[in-house]
Amino acid sequence: MRKFTSLASLILAGLLVVGCSSNANKELEEASAQDLYSKGQTYLQDGDYNSAIRYLDAVGTKGGQQSQFGEQTQLSLIYAQYKIGEYYKALDIAERFVRAYPNSPQMDYVFYLAALSNARLGDNFIQDFFGVNRSSRSTDSVRNAYGSFQTIVKEFPNSKYVPEAQQWMVYLKNRLAEHELQIVKFYDEREAYVAVANRVEEMMNFYPDNKPTLEALPYMQKAFEKMGLNDSAEKVASMIEANKNKEFPTITKPEYSEQF
């Protein structure tokens, strides 16, 4: 009897869930764009981001994308997706927003959330926790984050996000330089000396003031020596000597802001 009672309870609970779900779907179908938008914003302010997304997504089905709610709805969706860790979805919406509202006064905010989303994608919690150097990992997201922060600094110089964007750019640029150094070491281990020289030359062009570039110079000198390019090797040796006492500031990862 107890098993039957438990089973009956489970069935009843399931029916209640289905009923609630049906009621919620009915509300989304019958509510006006104004009501959906208002409820979505309320859920957003309360920190119930999943519910906010459901209601704000539904605004579009009411023609809300073309209404007075369209721009703010999309901004709210980018933020909500970011907050629940759906960074790719946040980036997709941000990309659509840029195309749909190219003259929006909130464009710096969109680039800011896109930059943070890409920065998050460039992270790895477990590796951060154990202090593992991630410079040899894929850097697509890091490059995209740097590009978005750079856009804020260049295109929106009066934006409140500029100071934070500049901090992130310093950190991300150094990470990219570290990545390049790992590639140089990879080529050196395989005695691919032409590739070593070319890669270090690129580092000198793109990351001239970063510590990893200075650390890459001995590999370049060795590569030239192995190729019999002694004049070039001597020039690099002179550069190493001239910078042997150069000090670099400690670069730390900025904290992710919780204020938007």
Side-chain angles (χ1 to χ4, degrees):
M1 177 64 69
R2 295 185 62 184
K3 288 184 179 181
F4 179 81
T5 303
S6 299
L7 179 59
S9 299
L10 288 173
I11 293 173
L12 179 59
L15 291 173
L16 289 174
V17 169
V18 171
C20 291
S21 177
S22 298
N23 290 335
N25 290 334
K26 185 177 181 180
E27 179 184 7
L28 292 175
E29 292 173 0
E30 296 179 353
S32 66
Q34 171 71 69
D35 289 339
L36 292 170
Y37 175 79
S38 297
K39 286 192 175 183
Q41 292 299 329
T42 298
Y43 280 125
L44 195 70
Q45 293 172 9
D46 292 342
D48 186 351
Y49 302 114
N50 285 298
S51 294
I53 290 168
R54 288 179 61 244
Y55 279 83
L56 293 172
D57 268 338
V59 173
T61 66
K62 306 291 183 177
Q65 303 290 14
Q66 287 75 43
S67 72
Q68 68 269 33
F69 312 118
E71 185 172 339
Q72 186 56 53
T73 295
Q74 295 306 299
L75 289 170
S76 298
L77 280 169
I78 297 170
Y79 174 72
Q81 296 288 5
Y82 172 81
K83 291 296 288 185
I84 65 173
E86 291 286 357
Y87 304 121
Y88 285 114
K89 290 183 180 179
L91 289 167
D92 285 342
I93 301 171
E95 186 174 340
R96 293 198 298 271
F97 184 94
V98 171
R99 292 197 300 266
Y101 308 100
N103 299 315
S104 171
Q106 300 295 323
M107 195 63 75
D108 60 333
Y109 176 69
V110 174
F111 275 99
Y112 177 68
L113 284 178
L116 291 182
S117 294
N118 269 311
R120 292 280 194 182
L121 288 171
D123 285 343
N124 182 291
F125 173 78
I126 295 176
Q127 290 177 324
D128 271 344
F129 183 80
F130 290 104
V132 177
N133 189 317
R134 300 182 313 282
S135 61
S136 61
R137 303 289 180 177
S138 173
T139 57
D140 288 347
S141 294
V142 177
R143 293 183 190 280
N144 291 335
Y146 183 90
S148 291
F149 282 126
Q150 187 178 51
T151 297
I152 294 172
V153 173
K154 288 185 175 181
E155 301 298 328
F156 311 99
N158 298 319
S159 170
K160 66 179 181 180
Y161 303 114
V162 166
E164 189 175 341
Q166 290 172 326
Q167 294 175 14
W168 272 102
M169 286 174 66
V170 171
Y171 168 74
L172 294 172
K173 188 174 184 180
N174 195 67
R175 271 196 63 185
L176 290 169
E178 288 178 346
H179 174 74
E180 292 299 311
L181 179 58
Q182 295 300 319
I183 295 175
V184 168
K185 292 178 178 179
F186 174 86
Y187 286 139
D188 177 73
E189 290 173 357
R190 285 151 183 78
E191 301 181 353
Y193 298 120
V194 173
V196 168
N198 290 338
R199 207 79 188 200
V200 178
E201 185 175 0
E202 289 182 3
M203 292 180 69
M204 293 168 66
N205 289 330
F206 291 106
Y207 316 106
D209 300 320
N210 288 78
K211 186 177 180 181
T213 301
L214 183 58
E215 294 175 345
L217 290 179
Y219 293 96
M220 189 181 211
Q221 179 186 355
K222 175 185 173 182
F224 284 140
E225 290 171 348
K226 292 293 185 179
M227 291 187 291
L229 302 175
N230 295 324
D231 288 345
S232 297
E234 289 177 6
K235 290 180 182 179
V236 177
S238 297
M239 293 173 60
I240 295 172
E241 178 64 23
N243 290 280
K244 67 178 182 180
N245 294 321
K246 187 173 182 178
E247 296 183 358
F248 295 88
T250 301
I251 297 176
T252 57
K253 180 180 176 181
E255 296 289 334
Y256 284 104
S257 175
E258 293 299 326
Q259 302 300 318
F260 301 95

